[in-house]
Amino acid sequence: MAKNANNQANRAISEDTSSLYFLQSGDHPGLMLISTPLSGNNYNIWSRAMHMALTAKNKFGFVDGTIVQPKPDDLLYNAWVRCNSMAVSWILQAIVRDIAESLMYMSTAHEIWTDLKDRFHESNAPKIFQIKKLLSSLQQGSLDESSYYTKLRTLWDELRDFQPVSACRCGSAKEWTDYCSQECSP
């Protein structure tokens, strides 16, 4: 009787669309969440795209470790294992085969995410220097206005992504943010 109650509780959790354990009918392990796979040198853009896709699926907590694995006797254990496995599958689908094969024996999405970040995340200083160099040398040349603006905006957005976020509550952070926004506008 207790096993039947556990199954009903798991089903109720899994069918609640606001639940972190909810999977849509179209969710399956072979689903491609993003169009460009991680090849190593594109980690920063790839991780941002995956972050957005997994957040849209309400599964980023399995990746960043905020949804902690319950104990095996917990009612949520099976739902957690199912969703973690789905997140692992989605990540592996978004990585080139050689890299994906090196991750096959890791059991959680969090382990995989951390390993990829440790291996491929570029440190800020060289990347910031590279972006600033590209910004300073960017010229419209034969590009139409839309293409030029897109390249410029992409570089500014990427540079902004590397900027540290201030925890200031005094109000001067808004002034700095406004100044940075003004500097980044074409």
Side-chain angles (χ1 to χ4, degrees):
M1 198 65 149
K3 187 175 182 178
N4 190 28
N6 285 350
N7 287 340
Q8 288 177 338
N10 275 331
R11 193 173 316 120
I13 290 165
S14 300
E15 291 174 0
D16 176 6
T17 58
S18 65
S19 170
L20 299 171
Y21 299 101
F22 176 74
L23 291 170
Q24 297 176 359
S25 61
D27 291 340
H28 59 86
L31 186 63
M32 294 290 294
L33 296 183
I34 62 172
S35 58
T36 305
L38 173 65
S39 60
N41 60 350
N42 64 339
Y43 173 79
N44 293 333
I45 290 173
W46 174 88
S47 66
R48 185 151 171 82
M50 282 301 293
H51 185 279
M52 287 187 288
L54 289 164
T55 299
K57 291 286 191 185
N58 206 14
K59 300 295 176 270
F60 194 73
F62 292 91
V63 170
D64 71 3
T66 57
I67 303 174
V68 180
Q69 179 178 354
K71 293 185 172 47
D73 61 344
D74 191 304
L75 286 175
L76 293 175
Y77 179 76
N78 290 331
W80 186 93
V81 168
R82 187 182 74 252
C83 290
N84 175 69
S85 295
M86 190 66 73
V88 166
S89 296
W90 288 338
I91 293 169
L92 293 176
Q93 285 294 324
I95 300 174
V96 296
R97 183 181 176 145
D98 293 346
I99 298 171
E101 286 177 356
S102 71
L103 304 167
M104 291 304 294
Y105 295 101
M106 293 183 185
S107 57
T108 68
H110 181 63
E111 284 178 287
I112 291 172
W113 192 261
T114 302
D115 182 79
L116 291 171
K117 183 176 182 180
D118 290 346
R119 276 202 268 174
F120 299 112
H121 181 70
E122 296 181 41
S123 66
N124 289 357
K127 188 64 176 177
I128 289 171
F129 176 78
Q130 180 185 23
I131 294 168
K132 286 182 175 181
K133 187 174 175 183
L134 288 169
L135 276 167
S136 68
S137 65
L138 184 64
Q139 296 180 358
Q140 184 173 351
S142 62
L143 295 173
D144 61 73
E145 288 179 22
S146 178
S147 298
Y148 174 71
Y149 177 78
T150 300
K151 281 187 176 231
L152 184 63
R153 177 69 188 264
T154 301
L155 289 170
W156 278 119
D157 288 346
E158 193 173 358
L159 182 61
R160 191 178 301 118
D161 193 48
F162 281 102
Q163 301 296 325
V165 178
S166 174
C168 171
R169 289 176 176 57
C170 69
S172 42
K174 180 174 177 359
E175 291 176 27
W176 177 250
T177 304
D178 292 344
Y179 171 76
C180 289
S181 294
Q182 180 183 355
E183 286 295 305
C184 295
S185 59

